[in-house]
Amino acid sequence: MSPRPRIASASAAVIGLSIALVAAPSAAAEPCTGAAAAIRPPATAPAPTPPLPGNGRPRGHRPSGANERAPLPKLGQLPLAILNALSPRSARVQQQVGVAPQPTPPVPNAAQQNPNPAPAPPAPGPPPGTSLVGWVTGPDSPNDTVKRFAITGTDLGIMWDNGDPAARQVLMAFGDTYGYCSVRGQQWRYNALFRSQDGALAKTISVPNGAVGNSYSGSPVWAPGLSKQIINSIKWAPTEKGIIPTAGISVGRTQYLNFMSIKNWDSDGRWSTNFSAIAVSKDNGENWGVYPGTIRTPAPNDVARVSYVRGNENFQQGAFLRPGPGDPYLYTFGTPSGRGGAAYVARVPQAYVPDLTKYEYWNSAQNAWVPRDPGAATPVVPGPVGEMSAQYNTHLKQYLMLYCNGANDVVARTAPAPQGPWSPEQVVVTSAQFPGGIYAPYLHPWSTGRELYYNLSLWSAYNVMLMKTVLP
């Protein structure tokens, strides 16, 4: 194991997390109402697990316009066209995804309308550079995550390199996770983790089997075939409806996960948080603890034990960034809770990730990094910014970020430095091409050149798919 990072304050000691299962989501939670609800555990499936405290992800997390009852898409079995409800079980997904549709022309008044109007023109053709590779999770994934990990539904799939040269892997952190829907409690977990050494990505991200106590197996598991929850509640908030990872990074062989404690799922694309914080693992993601000194509350009196610091409301969700050559810092983008806020950026020396006193915040008015004052941070990207990821791209020799904008389209921006200036948005995947709600584009850490691979969640399927974009 790598040595413990230097921490300036004793309050930054790690809180150990006990292993427990979470309480079942409400019966109305969508991920167990479609095809997944009909899946029954095989005779060799893991035994039913006791429920954990908390609730599943309700409507509030879905993107605006998402159709939570759309059938689960199947890839590679039918001609791939835009997702549509041909029958309760035969929806399809378009493999090649494209540019935003052209603006709709003005509608004439009633006296001018043709009584037999021509059918609407088809959506514009896809650009040559973007395609859907396949499912990472769910019943239609080649990973067979239902039988191998008891995962029928999950989202996010945040990816980062584990920093271990002896066993180089990509770690993937997921949000609220469902198992066999017919099992009491639906085997629901706040979060889960996969590991992969797959660099080919021809079909999707291949994940090996999990093994109990093996910190380099495909997933931390409670039992064979049952991925475990990796970050549990520290019980500092009176109401907590989720513990959702938002960013991951390694320093040496130490893993860090930024996560948010959900106070309430308010409405489509809007939620409120109790706090954000950083969890740490010294054993490749097998076991995790939380640094209490990293807790950022969004408002006064949200957490009794933690003082509110102005500006921390803008760092409730994160996106770690490993810089380009010659830069000794790690960067973290922050946004307020939900998908409506702007993006801000901070930096920290790599040895001090858990020490908020070492962070500096970009202030564009001063054209400077301001130490220890998150309230000094000014937006580097205007809102609305949904879940985002960022990396240095060796092909562009620029920094690149992906996120979903206010139209729920996946967009890209580039910049010469983490603080910008960031280019205008360029649409990469449109919500029109994936009805049902796309969100959370998370870049693969090994695809930093012309070919980009990234995970993308689809709410109607409540699972994660791998996308590919070839840059010009």
Side-chain angles (χ1 to χ4, degrees), residues 28 30 57-63 68-69 265 267-269 459:
E30 284 82 3
R57 176 161 297 178
R59 293 176 180 267
H61 186 261
R62 68 175 183 163
E68 66 272 20
R69 297 199 182 275
W265 300 109
S267 61
D268 292 358
W459 172 263

Side-chain angles (χ1 to χ4, degrees), residues 86-359:
L86 296 177
S87 72
R89 302 210 178 207
S90 63
R92 299 179 288 176
V93 174
Q94 177 164 319
Q95 185 173 25
Q96 301 290 329
V97 295
V99 298
Q102 297 299 313
T104 304
V107 178
N109 60 42
Q112 297 173 317
Q113 289 188 34
N114 186 334
N116 297 301
T130 296
S131 59
L132 189 153
V133 180
W135 291 107
V136 178
T137 66
D140 294 301
S141 169
N143 286 315
D144 196 8
T145 63
V146 178
K147 293 180 182 178
R148 297 172 63 231
F149 305 106
I151 294 177
T152 58
T154 191
D155 68 348
L156 305 184
I158 299 156
M159 296 184 282
W160 72 97
D161 187 294
N162 72 345
D164 187 343
R168 192 181 183 211
Q169 291 180 314
V170 167
L171 306 188
M172 286 183 284
F174 299 91
D176 287 341
T177 298
Y178 290 78
Y180 290 102
C181 298
S182 59
V183 170
R184 183 178 66 89
Q186 300 171 343
Q187 295 180 318
W188 182 78
R189 288 141 278 178
Y190 275 140
N191 41 66
L193 184 82
F194 283 172
R195 308 181 183 100
S196 175
Q197 291 181 304
D198 186 5
L201 308 178
K203 296 181 179 179
T204 185
I205 303 172
S206 175
V207 179
N209 289 331
V212 176
N214 183 342
S215 60
Y216 290 92
S217 71
S219 179
V221 294
W222 276 306
L226 179 61
S227 291
K228 71 179 182 180
Q229 178 175 297
I230 55 167
I231 304 176
N232 296 332
S233 175
I234 61 173
K235 304 186 185 302
W236 282 20
T239 301
E240 190 168 64
K241 296 184 177 180
I243 301 171
I244 310 301
T246 65
I249 197 76
S250 64
V251 177
R253 298 184 184 183
T254 299
Q255 314 303 320
Y256 295 105
L257 260 179
N258 194 91
F259 69 93
M260 57 181 173
S261 167
I262 300 299
K263 184 176 185 178
N264 193 51
W265 300 109
D266 300 321
S267 61
D268 292 358
R270 299 178 182 274
W271 55 88
S272 51
T273 50
N274 296 301
F275 59 84
S276 66
I278 294 175
V280 62
S281 172
K282 293 299 189 73
D283 56 5
N284 203 43
E286 191 73 14
N287 298 285
W288 294 80
V290 175
Y291 286 98
T294 65
I295 291 176
R296 298 177 186 261
T297 59
N301 305 316
D302 274 9
V303 179
R305 313 185 191 194
V306 180
S307 298
Y308 164 71
V309 176
R310 183 181 66 94
N312 275 345
E313 65 271 17
N314 297 322
F315 289 85
Q316 293 302 293
Q317 296 167 236
F320 286 123
L321 168 67
R322 195 178 301 281
D327 191 330
Y329 291 92
L330 283 180
Y331 294 81
T332 180
F333 293 91
T335 62
S337 56
R339 300 191 177 104
Y344 304 76
V345 68
R347 69 181 187 181
V348 63
Q350 295 191 28
Y352 293 92
V353 172
D355 187 352
L356 295 188
T357 69
K358 297 294 192 293
Y359 281 66

